Amino acid sequence: MERAKSQPRDSKAGVDGMNGLPTPVRVLVFAMVAAAAGGVAVRFGEVSRWDGRDVLGLIVLTLATSIAEQFPLEIRHRTENLYLALTDSMWAAGLVLARPGVLTMAVAVGVYFGLLLRKVAPHKIAFNLGQYILSITVAEVVFSALAGSATMAFKLLVAVPVAMLAYAVVSAGLVALVISQAERKSLWEVLLPPLAVNALHYAGNIALGILGAMAWQVSPPGVLLVGFPLALFYAAYRIMVRNLREGDRLRELIVENASDGIFVAAPDCSIVSWNPAMERITGQSADEVIGKNWRSILASSGSAESPRGGTAPCQAPGDAWFAPIVRKDGTEGWILCSSSTINGRDSKVKATVIVVHDISAEREAEQLKADFVATISHELRTPLTPLKGFLSSLIHGTIDDESDARHEYYRIMLRQANRLERLVTDLLEVSKIESSSALVTSPIDLCAPVVEQIRTFSEEHPARSISLRAPDSQVFVEADRSRVGLVVSNLLANALKYSPPDKRVQVTIAVEEDRATLSVRDEGPGIPLSEQQRIFDRFYQIEDHLTRPNGGVGLGLYICRRFVEGMHGRLWVDSRPGHGSTFSFSLPMAQVRSLTVSS
Ligand code: ADP
């Protein structure tokens, strides 16, 4: 979850890619490397005075350094990981046991090969060489100044600790200086957080080095005795780290598999982690958002931007809040967020955890429900108004009472009554549809309910032209007669409603192998491809429910599809804006032969 940051005791993670660093940092690193190279060059003068013991010391120290570099200890420090090596302890011992030149050379060669084996980048190797050679040179100078002709006890108990303290100050200071320059932080900001653990590490290493040097003084093989408790401590430490990691992994698994979005933000608002549910909700992957300001990511629409006037742009607007979002694909949604902060020991906010619940579907359903109530009230009232008007005019004799005129009034009233009936039927059917399973079907002649519906609509709309093209013989399908009538009625009502009054509506029945297909074609405005699936959803209407001129409640096609599918058929639309629409459904043919026998 947390990005591991390591600094400043071991610089390996501190300097990433020289090219991206500011010029002062690069100058500093080059100066360090140059100074270190000078330090090594000076020691070359001593080589001619070395004896066999010095060469052996060089080999042993170099090998030990290279090997120790292969096993850095990972130490967890709150949310950070520090990588530490045991090299310092060998160098502490080396101060007492070896000539300064031997120690410097061993540090240079040992660190170089040790890091090379670990495949560390060349610029980092150069930086570490500079850091260690400079630090050990300072330690050697301090040690020489203090030790002189002092007793071994003084050397071990005073000179080595003081010299290694100087080493630690220079080494940690150099790394902190480079990191503070690179990250534009103050030296203290870099140096302080890991200071305690670094100090312990240095103290432990120095003590270990002194013990090793003492053991060597008594008898060189005695050094192995120092290694024994060390190996045991190391094993215990590894077990502890493994257990901690398993705990972390478990927590990560829970977060990764959570159905709600969870992300962590740093105090400066930058996103630190982003779980897969957040990717689903926003359409943005972790790689795209890590490091960016979470408020700008969630408020792409601008609406959740700084709700308190921008004074605290990073703070979550409260414990829980609603916000609109614009997903990566441009679609809009709603989220319910809640946040909690993680505080450090100093009570300062270290991170904010934000849990995001996608409530787009709930919001959409609520909106649909609200629209539905408004639409239904409007749709029930619309046919009632002319019905009441004509009835009261007829009763009071306030309109033309000629038989032709009266016939026209009755036709208008019938049309409105039919419209009301269709609406009430749709509402009743939709309430039944959710609970009922497959429909009960029997062989019926498809042409019969179709002819019946065309007759009804032609009577209602005598000015409209509705044509039928069907096979000469009967078309037996396996279906529910009244439901087929309802489907045809809805498709015809839509075709008439959505096409201009002077345009024809064409109904076709065709038989293909084991299925019969009925199509209702109109020459209306057509339906955009993007809407062709959604029009079959419950309550879905392309136009706004209050401004649309054609009425309807968005249930017709939903009911039609459910009915057709309940009869093992299929309902679909072929349409292009400006070229009309054809709604078709197919139903399985009935077994005509068995029917003939039984009839
Ligand atoms: P409604 O009661 O609104 O007609 P439907 O479920 O029957 O509900 O239709 C859903 C939407 O599909 C309609 O609001 C309309 O926008 C569109 N629609 C249906 N039939 C046609 C058609 N023949 N031509 C154009 N648009 C249509």
Side-chain angles (χ1 to χ4, degrees):
M1 286 278 294
E2 290 90 6
R3 276 179 307 167
K5 268 192 181 175
S6 162
Q7 41 81 353
R9 148 72 189 112
D10 182 6
S11 61
K12 279 125 207 155
V15 185
D16 280 328
M18 285 284 278
N19 292 340
L21 292 175
T23 315
V25 180
R26 273 191 272 169
V27 171
L28 188 68
V29 173
F30 281 122
M32 276 169 61
V33 174
V40 174
V42 168
R43 298 296 186 197
F44 264 112
E46 293 177 17
V47 174
S48 56
R49 295 199 295 275
W50 287 4
D51 55 20
R53 188 174 163 275
D54 292 325
V55 175
L56 184 69
L58 175 73
I59 293 170
V60 171
L61 268 173
T62 304
L63 274 177
T65 299
S66 297
I67 292 167
E69 277 296 341
Q70 307 314 304
F71 303 100
L73 261 178
E74 186 190 350
I75 296 198
R76 297 156 60 94
H77 176 64
R78 299 196 205 157
T79 56
E80 295 173 353
N81 294 335
L82 298 169
Y83 293 93
L84 308 171
L86 287 175
T87 44
D88 298 350
S89 61
M90 283 155 219
W91 302 343
L95 277 176
V96 195
L97 301 176
R99 273 179 198 273
V102 170
L103 180 57
T104 311
M105 294 294 187
V107 169
V109 182
V111 167
Y112 177 73
F113 283 109
L115 295 184
L116 204 64
L117 267 176
R118 274 171 58 194
K119 299 194 172 58
V120 173
H123 68 272
K124 290 186 185 174
I125 297 184
F127 174 79
N128 286 140
L129 278 173
Q131 171 203 352
Y132 290 138
I133 293 170
L134 277 183
S135 315
I136 203 69
T137 306
V138 170
E140 285 161 6
V141 171
V142 173
F143 182 79
S144 309
L146 287 175
S149 54
T151 60
M152 183 50 83
F154 181 83
K155 281 182 188 169
L156 287 173
L157 299 178
V158 180
V160 170
V162 175
M164 284 309 282
L165 181 69
Y167 164 91
V169 170
V170 175
S171 177
L174 281 174
V175 180
L177 193 65
V178 170
I179 292 177
S180 68
Q181 292 287 321
E183 296 188 358
R184 296 194 170 77
K185 290 181 177 169
S186 77
L187 192 64
W188 290 119
E189 261 180 284
V190 182
L191 210 48
L192 280 184
L195 191 64
V197 79
N198 276 344
L200 282 175
H201 172 72
Y202 280 121
N205 257 344
I206 295 168
L208 205 63
I210 293 170
L211 272 179
M214 281 178 170
W216 185 276
Q217 292 289 318
V218 176
S219 153
V223 172
L224 294 176
L225 282 178
V226 180
F228 185 65
L230 195 68
L232 288 181
F233 284 136
Y234 184 73
Y237 169 81
R238 295 299 298 220
I239 292 170
M240 184 191 81
V241 167
R242 200 177 312 129
N243 289 344
L244 285 173
R245 281 226 185 86
E246 268 167 22
D248 281 355
R249 185 76 203 121
L250 201 68
R251 271 192 290 279
E252 272 169 26
L253 269 176
I254 293 168
V255 172
E256 272 169 27
N257 293 300
S259 58
D260 277 343
I262 301 173
F263 70 92
V264 178
D268 66 354
C269 250
S270 58
I271 296 168
V272 178
S273 73
W274 192 254
N275 78 341
M278 275 315 293
E279 300 193 1
R280 274 199 306 277
I281 294 170
T282 61
Q284 309 229 54
S285 70
D287 287 348
E288 287 170 302
V289 301
I290 297 276
K292 293 195 184 147
N293 184 311
W294 71 266
R295 294 191 60 80
S296 61
I297 296 291
L298 284 194
S300 340
S301 60
S303 47
E305 195 83 53
S306 201
R308 292 182 181 171
T311 44
C314 261
Q315 300 304 308
D319 288 344
W321 70 98
F322 291 99
I325 50 158
V326 178
R327 302 185 190 98
K328 194 180 172 190
D329 61 5
T331 54
E332 291 176 10
W334 275 88
I335 49 174
L336 170 62
C337 310
S338 57
S339 72
S340 50
T341 51
I342 299 169
N343 294 342
R345 274 193 219 154
D346 52 4
S347 306
K348 281 195 189 144
V349 173
K350 287 210 81 182
T352 307
V353 181
I354 298 167
V355 179
V356 176
H357 183 56
D358 190 351
I359 51 163
S360 309
E362 287 97 320
R363 275 262 175 163
E364 211 170 294
E366 267 172 36
Q367 188 59 44
L368 275 176
K369 237 186 251 170
D371 289 352
F372 176 67
V373 172
T375 313
I376 287 287
S377 326
H378 176 261
E379 284 301 299
L380 285 171
R381 203 174 282 270
T382 309
L384 280 179
T385 312
L387 266 175
K388 272 175 71 182
F390 279 114
L391 283 172
S392 86
S393 301
L394 282 168
I395 288 171
H396 296 108
T398 50
I399 47 171
D400 189 356
D401 206 12
E402 289 289 304
S403 104
D404 275 1
R406 230 184 309 131
H407 189 256
E408 178 58 16
Y409 304 149
Y410 290 144
R411 232 178 17 78
I412 294 173
M413 288 196 289
L414 176 68
R415 187 160 59 204
Q416 298 304 334
N418 280 344
R419 181 174 170 180
L420 210 53
E421 188 191 19
R422 268 199 296 275
L423 179 63
V424 173
T425 314
D426 275 0
L427 288 174
L428 286 176
E429 289 298 341
V430 93
S431 64
K432 274 192 266 166
I433 228 164
E434 306 296 341
S435 51
S436 63
S437 47
L439 298 170
V440 181
T441 59
S442 58
I444 61 151
D445 175 16
L446 180 59
C447 300
V450 176
V451 169
E452 200 177 290
Q453 288 301 329
I454 293 179
R455 191 177 307 128
T456 310
F457 277 92
S458 297
E459 276 170 14
E460 266 182 46
H461 305 268
R464 300 294 305 254
S465 150
I466 308 173
S467 66
L468 171 66
R469 207 184 295 159
D472 294 334
S473 54
Q474 292 169 312
V475 177
F476 282 100
V477 288
E478 200 54 52
D480 172 323
R481 193 181 192 283
S482 72
R483 274 15 187 283
V484 169
L486 242 150
V487 174
V488 177
S489 152
N490 263 308
L491 297 184
L492 271 176
N494 279 352
L496 293 169
K497 195 161 64 171
Y498 295 109
S499 62
D502 58 328
K503 297 290 184 192
R504 211 163 58 118
V505 171
Q506 167 86 57
V507 182
T508 310
I509 298 174
V511 176
E512 301 148 6
E513 294 177 13
D514 57 344
R515 306 189 82 77
T517 304
L518 178 136
S519 307
V520 178
R521 161 145 192 81
D522 66 57
E523 293 169 36
I527 300 164
L529 193 64
S530 57
E531 303 281 0
Q532 288 183 12
Q533 275 314 309
R534 301 200 68 188
I535 54 173
F536 295 99
D537 289 350
R538 209 164 42 146
F539 306 134
Y540 190 78
Q541 299 179 305
I542 298 176
E543 309 87 0
D544 188 283
H545 69 287
L546 292 175
T547 53
R548 59 206 304 276
N550 294 311
V553 289
L555 283 178
L557 290 178
Y558 167 74
I559 294 173
C560 290
R561 181 167 265 186
R562 292 293 297 256
F563 280 167
V564 171
E565 284 173 357
M567 294 183 283
H568 309 290
R570 197 165 75 83
L571 169 66
W572 68 97
V573 62
D574 286 312
S575 181
R576 220 156 32 106
H579 291 83
S581 314
T582 305
F583 282 86
S584 313
F585 68 85
S586 65
L587 289 169
M589 298 289 286
Q591 296 297 326
V592 183
R593 197 175 299 159
S594 63
L595 220 140
T596 322
V597 172
S598 67
S599 61

